[in-house]
Amino acid sequence: ERYKFTIYFDPFNEVPPQSELYALVNDPLELHNMANPENTAYYNPELIEVMREKLLLKMEETGCNFTPGSPYQEPVEELAAK
């Protein structure tokens, strides 16, 4: 695997989702988060968007869209719009 992309959701929806993106080949210890705008040497908004789209497609393909009763009830389409 070349990249690791993770989105963390606040269960109380008080904080926007946070992302982490690492290039595992060049950064196997996951020290340089390419999803952090403050990490100017590694920040890559284009790759973040590509990975986010892949994640949303996979969620749609597998039916993972945060089931009712969960704090994450937004349909995949609404997550994509953010």
Side-chain angles (χ1 to χ4, degrees), residues 51-63:
M51 298 301 285
R52 181 180 172 79
E53 287 299 318
K54 285 184 176 196
L55 176 61
L56 292 173
L57 285 172
K58 186 58 127 176
M59 289 172 66
E60 190 173 294
E61 178 184 300
T62 60

Side-chain angles (χ1 to χ4, degrees), residues 9 56 59 63-76 79:
F9 297 93
L56 292 173
M59 289 172 66
C64 177
N65 64 353
F66 310 116
T67 58
S70 161
Y72 316 116
Q73 297 179 25
E74 297 178 79
V76 171
L79 286 173

Side-chain angles (χ1 to χ4, degrees), residues 21-76:
L21 174 61
Y22 300 99
L24 297 177
V25 173
N26 299 327
D27 184 19
L29 298 178
E30 301 176 15
L31 301 175
H32 307 290
N33 181 3
M34 296 188 300
N36 181 355
E38 294 178 10
N39 191 358
T40 56
Y42 297 93
Y43 182 59
N44 190 332
E46 294 85 15
L47 184 56
I48 295 165
E49 190 56 35
V50 167
M51 298 301 285
R52 181 180 172 79
E53 287 299 318
K54 285 184 176 196
L55 176 61
L56 292 173
L57 285 172
K58 186 58 127 176
M59 289 172 66
E60 190 173 294
E61 178 184 300
T62 60
C64 177
N65 64 353
F66 310 116
T67 58
S70 161
Y72 316 116
Q73 297 179 25
E74 297 178 79
V76 171

Side-chain angles (χ1 to χ4, degrees), residues 8-27:
Y8 298 97
F9 297 93
D10 173 15
F12 302 104
N13 293 323
E14 295 174 0
V15 177
Q18 303 294 310
S19 300
E20 291 184 5
L21 174 61
Y22 300 99
L24 297 177
V25 173
N26 299 327
D27 184 19

